[in-house]
Amino acid sequence: MKISEVLNCSFSSWYPRFKDYTIKSQILPLPQEFVDYLLADQVVLPEGTVAMSASDSDTEDNRNTEAPSFPEFEVLLKNTIKRLGGQVFPKLNWSAPKDATWISFDRTLKCTCTSDVYLLLKSSDFISHDLTQPFKHCCDDENLKNETSVKYELVLRKWQELNPAYEFRCFVKDNKLIGISQRHNDMYYKFIPENRQEIISDIQAFYYHIVKDNFPDKSYCFDVYRRCQGKLLLLDFNPFGRVTDGLLYTWEELESDDLLPADDTQHHVPEMRCVESPSGVRSNPYGAYAFPKDFIDISSGDDPAKLIQLLQLKTQEQNGTVSSDEESTDYPGT
Ligand SMILES: Nc1ncnc2c1ncn2[C@@H]1O[C@H](COP(=O)(O)OP(=O)(O)O)[C@@H](O)[C@H]1O
Ligand SMILES: [Mg+2]
């Protein structure tokens, strides 16, 4: 996997080309102060949302204890949430903060105000990964990896109630669709094995007509959502390599020639893997994230202030004392 392949999978690289086939989204360039805020090792929400001082043990480093302030970005964020219907799904260039849903009331990534976005981004290891080591698994020269700079962006996508049974990950190697896997492989969905042929042919058609000649690399993965027969929505692109979860495939299989078609016909039917019976379910891949790192810090006495801050924020949010898009909390027809 190369740096260029990782860059081609970043949201702003593929979105303009696939706009008509994916969920409506807005890309906001991140100001450096916001990136610094995300990387700072504590949860203090920006001024205007709620300003709380950090733990007393941090007083030596006053720089860190000041509530950050980026009023212009805050306004932009607020307006964008409103413009997308009041409910959004946040991610950075590559990753969504899927490991941080424990922090939200409904355990989803749905955000309706700026502090929802801040909390999720700040609580996620996946987001830190995007910010600190996006090219960690690339085979390029170390110097190049360190020198390649990334323009960070916050992506807000219009919130959609997605049925996890309709999501699939597709693996493309050397311009051939070599495999399809159900996206949420910790569940048995009767619907999938029952509709195997239709699902495969829909995905195959989508790949040939929409994706194949419009993506710059020869090997990559893409995620699709099959709303109903013949109606597919593109969700995301990911690099072809171990940074991407192979789901019901191992990367040994994907990288070997085992899944390639025996001859070179265009009409080769790719394999699709799904959980075939209720007993075939594996453990939840995010199980490790169910117990948040912050709580581990807290239980080891490292940072009790963090939990107090989070709870205070949540209480204030519930009481409506945190400034948020109050006007847009009611979303007729979205
Ligand atoms: N706009 C959206 N609204 C609601 N859920 C979404 C939306 N976009 C993606 N999701 C859900 O979040 C999951 C992860 O999204 P994705 O963009 O692939 O992030 P990542 O690359 O970090 O896995 C998807 O599989 C889908 O279930
Ligand atoms: Mg992805």
Side-chain angles (χ1 to χ4, degrees):
M1 196 176 63
K2 291 209 151 92
I3 292 175
S4 63
E5 293 175 74
V6 173
L7 290 171
N8 285 338
C9 288
S10 78
F11 193 83
S12 55
S13 309
W14 64 262
Y15 182 69
R17 255 174 283 166
F18 293 95
K19 228 177 160 124
D20 296 341
Y21 309 100
T22 189
I23 300 167
K24 189 174 174 196
S25 309
Q26 288 281 328
I27 302 166
L28 310 183
L30 285 186
Q32 186 57 44
E33 310 87 76
F34 190 78
V35 173
D36 294 343
Y37 160 68
L38 290 180
L39 289 170
D41 189 23
Q42 62 187 61
V43 182
V44 179
L45 286 146
E47 270 165 15
T49 42
V50 62
M52 288 174 294
S53 61
S55 68
D56 291 341
S57 60
D58 282 341
T59 44
E60 292 150 39
D61 192 355
N62 281 325
R63 188 174 49 84
N64 274 343
T65 61
E66 278 164 29
S69 167
F70 13 80
E72 279 170 36
F73 182 70
E74 169 99 10
V75 170
L76 186 61
L77 184 53
K78 229 179 204 177
N79 291 340
T80 310
I81 295 174
K82 210 178 280 180
R83 196 146 12 104
L84 288 169
Q87 301 184 316
V88 299
F89 171 93
K91 66 184 289 183
L92 294 197
N93 304 44
W94 297 278
S95 307
K98 289 179 299 191
D99 54 329
T101 49
W102 58 270
I103 209 168
S104 67
F105 277 131
D106 62 355
R107 309 254 151 178
T108 73
L109 294 178
K110 189 195 287 174
C111 295
T112 60
C113 59
T114 55
S115 62
D116 287 345
V117 177
Y118 300 147
L119 269 186
L120 282 169
L121 297 180
K122 272 217 67 99
S123 310
S124 166
D125 291 345
F126 294 164
I127 294 299
S128 312
H129 174 92
D130 273 19
L131 292 172
T132 58
Q133 39 192 2
F135 309 122
K136 187 176 177 194
H137 301 281
C138 294
C139 57
D140 305 74
D141 180 81
E142 281 303 317
N143 290 334
L144 190 61
K145 281 159 76 166
N146 296 331
E147 283 160 17
T148 306
S149 73
V150 173
K151 285 206 176 72
Y152 281 102
E153 64 208 23
L154 172 63
V155 177
L156 298 177
R157 316 202 70 186
K158 193 176 169 64
W159 180 263
Q160 308 272 319
E161 294 299 336
L162 300 177
N163 179 339
Y166 299 172
E167 284 187 59
F168 299 89
R169 174 158 291 173
C170 311
F171 301 91
V172 177
K173 188 180 171 196
D174 292 329
N175 282 325
K176 291 183 194 77
L177 180 60
I178 58 166
I180 301 167
S181 169
Q182 79 178 59
R183 176 78 177 81
H184 300 275
N185 56 341
D186 56 338
M187 290 291 286
Y188 166 62
Y189 303 108
K190 196 157 158 274
F191 170 87
I192 303 178
E194 281 175 3
N195 292 276
R196 180 186 298 275
Q197 294 317 323
E198 292 85 351
I199 295 172
I200 295 176
S201 56
D202 274 354
I203 291 179
Q204 215 176 358
F206 188 79
Y207 170 65
Y208 280 108
H209 296 300
I210 312 292
V211 182
K212 191 170 186 275
D213 297 322
N214 287 322
F215 194 79
D217 285 309
K218 288 198 296 189
S219 302
Y220 53 93
C221 311
F222 66 96
D223 296 334
V224 287
Y225 184 76
R226 184 177 178 268
R227 280 182 284 184
C228 54
Q229 190 153 14
K231 286 217 162 38
L232 270 67
L233 197 60
L234 183 64
L235 288 183
D236 196 21
F237 281 96
N238 298 288
F240 188 88
R242 283 158 208 274
V243 271
T244 300
D245 191 338
L247 302 173
L248 295 170
Y249 292 89
T250 64
W251 274 102
E252 281 76 38
E253 289 173 299
L254 292 165
E255 280 165 350
S256 75
D257 291 338
D258 297 355
L259 303 165
L260 288 175
D263 55 55
D264 232 0
T265 59
Q266 282 280 303
H267 298 289
H268 151 79
V269 178
E271 183 191 12
M272 182 177 85
R273 290 194 187 166
C274 60
V275 177
E276 306 281 349
S277 71
S279 58
V281 172
R282 293 188 192 174
S283 66
N284 180 345
Y286 297 123
Y289 294 104
F291 194 69
K293 192 172 146 288
D294 299 70
F295 287 157
I296 297 170
D297 291 350
I298 288 154
S299 63
S300 62
D302 271 0
D303 196 0
K306 217 174 197 174
L307 178 64
I308 295 165
Q309 286 172 5
L310 289 178
L311 295 177
Q312 278 175 346
L313 173 80
K314 281 293 169 191
T315 318
Q316 292 181 29
E317 235 178 40
Q318 234 172 352
N319 298 339
T321 50
V322 175
S323 85
S324 63
D325 316 65
E326 263 114 17
E327 320 83 352
S328 63
T329 43
D330 127 68
Y331 318 104
T334 51

